[in-house]
Structures are given as C-alpha cells and as structure tokens.
Amino acid sequence: MRTLITGGAGFLGVALANYLVANGHAVRVLDDLSVGDPARLDGRVLFSRGDVRNVPTLWTHLQDVECVFHLAARVAVSESILYPQEYNDVNVGGTVALLAAMRDVGVRRVVLASSATVYGEQPTQPVHEGMRPNPGSPYAVTKIAAEHYLFTLGKLYGLEAVALRIFNAYGPGQRIPPSHAPVVPLFLKRALGGGSLVIHGDGRQSRDFVYVDDAVAGMAAASMTAAAVGQIINIGSGEETSLRDLVRRVAAATGREPAVLNNASQGAGVSRLVADLARARYLLGYEPRTSLQDGLRQLLAKDPQFDRTRVLAG
Ligand code: NAD
C-alpha cells in the first residue's frame, strides 16, 4: 500500500510510519515540523516539510497514494483553551483542505486520528461510539468537527473514511514540552529526576492509557479493513486507571517513591474516561496487547529521554 501520513514526524506518526515501512508499505510523511522531528523516521520513509492546510502542497504529495492517515494537528487540550483559533485553523481547516485535495487527486481512503476527548463527561463508562459527544475543550470541538467533515465530505466525494477515537496514547518518542506535557512521560521524568508529581484535582479521575504499538496496530487495521469504512472506532486499552494508580505504577516502574503534590484548585478534566472496545474488536480484530505496567517498562527501556544519568543531570 502507498500511504501518506500527515503529521507523520510527531509521536504517533513516527511510530506508524516506521511500522508501515517495516511491513513493506511505501510511506510518505508530510509535516510542518511545528512540533515533529523527522530524525526518528526510518530511512525508507519519504519525508517532506509542508503545511497540511496548503492544498497545492497536498496535490503533490497525494499523487499515487492509496491511503492517507491524517494525524497533523495541534494536540494539547489546555493549550487549545488559550489558542482556539489556531486549533480550529489547523485541526479543522487542515482536515477540510486534505479532503478537498483528496477529491481533486482521486485518493479514496482516509483514516482520521480523532480523539477520545470528544466524549467529555459521560453519565456511564466505558464510553462507546454511539454516545453523544460532549466536548469540553476547543481541542475536542475541533476533533468532533473534523469527524463531521470527514463523513460529510467523504460521502459527497465518494471517499472511504474511518475515524479512530484514540485514548491517551503513550510510548517512546512522546515529547515532554515545558508546558502542557502529557502525564505519562512527565511523571516518569519527574520520578526519575527526584522531583514531585503534581496531581490536578483529587487524583481519582481516570483515563485509558494505550501503548503506542497498540494504537499503531489499530490505525493500520483501520486502513486495511473494508468493514471499517464509514465507522467511528475507539482505540484504547480498555483499562481504567486513576491518576493515583498511575503514580503507583510509575513508582513501581522507576523504583522511586516520588512525592505527590495535590493541586486541588486546578481543573482535573473529565472525572472518568475508559474505552469500550467492542466495536474495535468486532470490526478490526483489534486487541490491545500491552498492559500499562509493561508499557511503562518498555518506554523506560526504549526512550533515550529516560536514560537515568541524563534525567538526573537535568
Ligand atoms: P504530535 O504533536 O506529536 O504530532 C502531530 C504532528 O503534526 C507534529 O509532528 C506536528 O509538527 C504536525 N503538525 C502540526 N500542525 C501541522 C500542520 N499545519 N501541517 C503539517 N503538520 C502539522 O501529536 P501525536 O500525539 O502524535 O498525535 C497525532 C494525532 O493523533 C493528532 O491528530 C492527535 O490529535 C491524535 N491523537 C493523539 C492522541 C495521543 O494520546 N497522542 C490521542 C488522541 C488523538
């Protein structure tokens, strides 16, 4: 299969690109490098720097492509509250530009990396795809808008579209920016460096942490399974983990006992979020393989960011 991955120099994009080329597929990546780093891409991946909102750029990179994985996006929930217009431009505008360019070039298959954040606060858990979305941030709104464009324009243009609602992915290569850092790598780094872990709210809020290899397997399966076309599908671990539990797992994986600071005044996001995987299992044969404990161990072993001497040196 000849594929294009937008945002393919980012955390999930690199993992997906390297998995696909290792399995014999031809992979192009388009990324503006606002965040991404192409250095981690396998040498067989064809990398180009460019903005996903630029239709002529897309025309060039879509030639002869059979399937697009659309990952290019701004991804930090808290940052989206500060810069909603930027998030809308990239996440919604980029999706619309891509779908129009696909129509122009005649590329039919597209897998959208949507997000579990579209569920927001729900009355029951685990969350399934039939529930009414309840987005609680501009980021979540951009993802539900992108889904609507995907299926509306997809139908009008005759595209084979799949939207994956990915839960909290973690694994090697995930960046730890100074602000808005994802919780798993942030906690690991703080624990290894002797710092304290800050929990917003009371720490009872739960999330579904899915190891990157499982998320990649879900994306790959979605691109190759006819039954997935026209569907929204959850991709998670199906395991509910509270932030307090995560602290315990981080302590076990690192062999440290980090101090925990509770910042009760800070918003903790939704109280619970865990994936119902029935549809992913049924349509994709998807089965998460890596437990959180194993995933944390693999992450520490494989990601040079967590080299203990480097972490301790600051
Ligand atoms: P990431 O920030 O590492 O990757 C996003 C990539 O998109 C970056 O490399 C960035 O440089 C690129 N990009 C941003 N704006 C662009 C533009 N205008 N043109 C071209 N490239 C652009 O994030 P990630 O964690 O790898 O997420 C990938 C996708 O998966 C995103 O769409 C995100 O919303 C979605 N997702 C991720 C998670 C997760 O837990 N990581 C969960 C749900 C959904």
Side-chain angles (χ1 to χ4, degrees):
M1 188 166 64
R2 290 181 299 275
T3 64
L4 172 70
I5 307 176
T6 71
F11 162 53
L12 289 179
V14 168
L16 175 64
N18 292 350
Y19 171 85
L20 290 173
V21 286
N23 285 280
H25 303 284
V27 182
R28 287 181 200 160
V29 158
L30 178 69
D31 195 299
D32 71 350
L33 300 188
S34 50
V35 170
D37 176 7
R40 294 180 50 249
L41 286 168
D42 185 299
R44 291 167 287 182
V45 174
L46 204 60
F47 171 76
S48 300
R49 185 171 187 174
D51 194 314
V52 74
R53 290 167 289 183
N54 186 325
V55 173
T57 298
L58 288 167
W59 287 335
T60 307
H61 297 294
L62 285 170
Q63 297 298 326
D64 301 322
V65 163
E66 291 163 300
C67 176
V68 180
F69 294 91
H70 181 39
L71 276 62
R74 301 291 301 261
V75 304
V77 170
S78 47
E79 192 187 52
S80 76
I81 299 164
L82 296 172
Y83 308 109
Q85 196 175 0
E86 167 84 15
Y87 271 67
N88 190 66
D89 282 353
V90 176
N91 298 8
V92 184
T95 302
V96 174
L98 172 68
L99 297 169
M102 287 180 63
R103 171 204 56 192
D104 297 343
V105 177
V107 178
R108 294 191 57 194
R109 189 86 184 221
V110 55
V111 177
L112 169 73
S114 184
S115 164
T117 56
V118 304
Y119 288 111
E121 197 69 51
Q122 293 287 342
T124 58
Q125 298 287 332
V127 290
H128 64 77
E129 298 85 345
M131 287 173 160
R132 193 181 163 169
N134 183 20
S137 69
Y139 170 72
V141 172
T142 67
K143 287 290 170 180
I144 194 75
E147 287 184 6
H148 282 301
Y149 272 115
L150 180 80
F151 293 118
T152 304
L153 290 181
K155 205 173 274 177
L156 292 167
Y157 298 165
L159 306 179
E160 298 172 358
V162 186
L164 299 180
R165 289 186 178 160
I166 303 171
F167 284 65
N168 284 64
Y170 69 98
Q174 195 169 23
R175 289 173 61 250
I176 312 174
S179 56
H180 317 296
V183 65
V184 170
L186 179 66
F187 276 13
L188 286 172
K189 191 166 182 189
R190 289 255 172 88
L192 286 172
S196 23
L197 311 188
V198 180
I199 290 185
H200 301 315
D202 64 6
R204 288 201 179 91
Q205 68 272 30
S206 67
R207 297 291 181 268
D208 178 316
F209 296 105
V210 56
Y211 191 62
V212 61
D213 291 359
D214 288 324
V216 164
M219 288 190 272
S223 73
M224 295 168 202
T225 311
V229 171
Q231 301 288 337
I232 294 172
I233 306 172
N234 286 344
I235 295 293
S237 68
E239 211 185 306
E240 183 171 12
T241 304
S242 73
L243 268 274
R244 290 181 184 186
D245 281 343
L246 179 64
V247 168
R248 282 190 277 276
R249 310 265 182 127
V250 163
T254 57
R256 308 288 165 93
E257 284 299 333
V260 176
L261 302 176
N262 280 90
N263 181 358
S265 63
Q266 185 89 16
V270 298
S271 56
R272 296 178 66 196
L273 193 60
V274 61
D276 180 326
L277 296 177
R279 188 179 289 186
R281 288 192 170 105
Y282 179 69
L283 292 179
L284 302 179
Y286 170 79
E287 196 56 55
R289 309 222 171 271
T290 308
S291 68
L292 183 54
Q293 205 60 49
D294 284 348
L296 292 176
R297 273 196 215 105
Q298 289 191 45
L299 173 49
L300 287 174
K302 290 181 183 168
D303 190 331
Q305 286 186 105
F306 301 109
D307 178 307
R308 280 158 203 258
T309 47
R310 268 200 248 173
V311 172
L312 289 174

